[in-house]
């Protein structure tokens, strides 16, 4: 027999919120792996390598070297569990312009050079790497690497104007 008139309270707990996305760090910059921390959720990030706290929803990873790091998160609220994975890609690169600062005559051809610490694509502004000097210019080399990472270096090349010669005939 069931009692009549009895109230039964059923509580439905929502799953913990996981908004997981791949994370990229350029130049070994620390990054948060997740942007949400709910107070009533128990978090467990594995492995805890490089994390400031593996038991919070939004731990900060501080890389010490480039690489690809895989993390797994388990989030539990009142027996309800959500899980997921985050890839943390860490890139570090540098570009050094190897062409020294110098003074050259206007109209001189010059090939600008740079040394890269890792693979990537190099762009020169306002042009290059092959240039013909017309004015004193600071050339900026930009290395595009990783996933949206950039590094820059520059060199100033001074252009010396050519002397003007007056070759007019003097009728005397």
């Amino acid at each position: 027999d069931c009692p009549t008139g009895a109230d039964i309270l059923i509580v439905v707990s929502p799953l913990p919120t996981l908004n997981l996305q791949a994370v990229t760090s350029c130049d070994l910059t620390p990054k948060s792996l997740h942007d949400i921390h709910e107070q009533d959720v128990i978090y467990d990030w594995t492995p805890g390598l490089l994390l400031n706290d593996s038991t919070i929803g939004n731990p900060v990873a501080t890389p010490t070297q480039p690489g690809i790091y895989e993390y797994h998160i388990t989030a539990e609220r009142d027996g309800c569990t959500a899980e997921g994975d985050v890839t943390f890609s860490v890139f570090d690169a540098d570009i050094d312009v190897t062409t020294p600062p110098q003074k050259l005559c206007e109209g001189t051809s010059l090939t600008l050079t740079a040394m890269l610490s890792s693979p990537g694509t190099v762009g020169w502004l306002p042009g290059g790497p092959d240039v013909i000097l017309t004015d004193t210019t600071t050339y900026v080399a930009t290395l595009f690497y990783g996933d949206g990472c950039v590094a820059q270096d520059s060199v100033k090349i001074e252009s010396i104007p050519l002397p003007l010669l007056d070759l007019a005939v003097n009728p005397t």
Side-chain angles (χ1 to χ4, degrees), residues 5 53 58 67 69 73 114 142 151 156:
D53 188 340
N58 54 349
Y69 301 88
I73 181 175
T142 303
K156 182 177 181 179

Side-chain angles (χ1 to χ4, degrees), residues 8-64:
I8 299 174
L9 177 64
I10 298 174
V11 176
V12 178
S13 294
L15 283 174
T17 303
L18 294 180
N19 181 20
L20 304 176
Q21 299 177 15
V23 178
T24 299
S25 172
C26 302
D27 304 325
L28 304 178
T29 304
K31 293 286 185 164
S32 178
L33 297 183
H34 187 238
D35 59 355
I36 297 173
H37 178 82
E38 297 173 292
Q39 295 294 10
D40 56 342
V41 174
I42 298 170
Y43 295 95
D44 182 30
W45 288 87
T46 56
L49 177 73
L50 307 176
L51 301 182
N52 66 326
D53 188 340
S54 64
T55 64
I56 61 176
N58 54 349
V60 174
T62 303
T64 57

Side-chain angles (χ1 to χ4, degrees), residues 66-90:
I68 306 296
Y69 301 88
E70 298 288 339
Y71 290 94
H72 182 78
I73 181 175
T74 302
E76 186 264 326
R77 175 191 290 128
D78 299 327
C80 299
T81 302
E83 295 185 53
D85 296 302
V86 173
T87 300
F88 181 39
S89 302
V90 180

